[in-house]
Amino acid sequence: MTGANRSGTTWMGNVLSLAVDVAYVHEPFSPSLDPAVSRIPTRAHFTYGTTLDPVQRAALDRLLAGRLPNPSGWRRDITAWKPFGMGVREVGRALGRRRRRVLIKDPTACLLSPAVQAATGGPVVFMVRRPEAYVSSITRLGWGFDFAVWADDDQLMDLLGDVAEEVERAATTDLPVFDQAITIYNGIYTMADRFRQDHPDWLFLRHEEMAADPLETLPPVYEQLGLAWTPEVARAVDRDNVRAPSKDIAPAEFRTVVRQSSATVDTWRSRLDDDQAATIRSRTEAVASHFYDNA
């Protein structure tokens, strides 16, 4: 389960993991994790690759087998500062993955999707979101990006085509987050379109369609993934969506508050003025049009 950050991957990962035989793993490739316990070491967000290195592959294999991916680092970390309860929880999660299908949810590894699939053989679900929604969310959170990660990757830059020049400028210029977000969008979705052409078996799901009516849109996805859509799953999806708050939340709460899925579809309209929305559309149209007719 992947896609650009802020594209609904957490929500979709959570609703798919409602299936009784699915164990959810949250962002194991994220370089933001403490290095001592990082499940699968990755040098930066949004790195590109078609294969995993031996260290990454070994950690992934351990994770899928229901073991601690980095046991020596984990033990060192747990004795240094982590509360004992957190260590017990980590072990419990590892045991819970045994004999179950593992759902890896990780937008930070969206450009590693071919490598992850090659290593696991499992299906890939790639979430897609409108550029206005993406840029408004990243800008609101103030999340910048080190474009040298892309600019220094000759293979990736060749694949980015016309967007490569935009990335080069971003790597050498101190851009506002608004402009950075536009370039991130163009880079990720240029590659997403390539992935879609190269991997017709992957599922590319538009966030707006999935979130607007999850009880209608989720059952076909469950079926395609070989998951059981049960009355219990339907009730859980409906209950969480109805009970969750519908209003926009403060940036500081984005990790702790889950909103109604349907309420997230058009949030960008209240965050952007007309000029900002028009700027985003004009600067992303060539890329977003691969996924949205009216982008």
Side-chain angles (χ1 to χ4, degrees), residues 112-135:
L112 286 173
S113 297
V116 176
Q117 187 187 43
T120 65
V124 174
V125 179
F126 201 108
M127 295 297 291
V128 177
R129 197 172 189 188
R130 289 191 62 88
E132 300 96 332
Y134 178 78
V135 173

Side-chain angles (χ1 to χ4, degrees), residues 16-61:
L16 291 180
S17 65
L18 291 170
V20 294
D21 61 338
V22 172
Y24 175 93
V25 177
H26 185 80
E27 302 186 7
F29 289 89
S30 175
S32 298
L33 293 174
D34 187 277
V37 294
S38 178
R39 298 185 178 101
I40 304 174
T42 308
R43 65 184 179 87
H45 292 83
F46 306 142
T47 54
Y48 170 72
T50 56
T51 58
L52 301 180
D53 65 39
V55 174
Q56 291 175 319
R57 181 62 188 266
L60 176 61
D61 288 345

Side-chain angles (χ1 to χ4, degrees), residues 167-212:
V167 171
E168 287 281 8
R169 289 197 301 271
T172 57
T173 308
D174 186 16
L175 296 176
V177 173
F178 178 86
D179 297 283
Q180 291 187 48
I182 289 174
T183 300
I184 297 170
Y185 187 94
N186 286 336
I188 289 178
Y189 284 93
T190 293
M191 294 306 298
D193 185 50
R194 287 186 175 274
F195 294 159
R196 185 171 60 170
Q197 296 176 50
D198 294 340
H199 302 277
D201 56 315
W202 292 13
L203 290 180
F204 287 83
L205 306 176
R206 290 190 287 203
H207 170 266
E208 296 79 13
E209 294 175 357
M210 299 303 303

Side-chain angles (χ1 to χ4, degrees), residues 130-149:
R130 289 191 62 88
E132 300 96 332
Y134 178 78
V135 173
S136 71
S137 184
I138 294 297
T139 302
R140 186 166 182 261
L141 293 169
W143 288 356
F145 179 59
D146 181 5
F147 286 95
V149 173

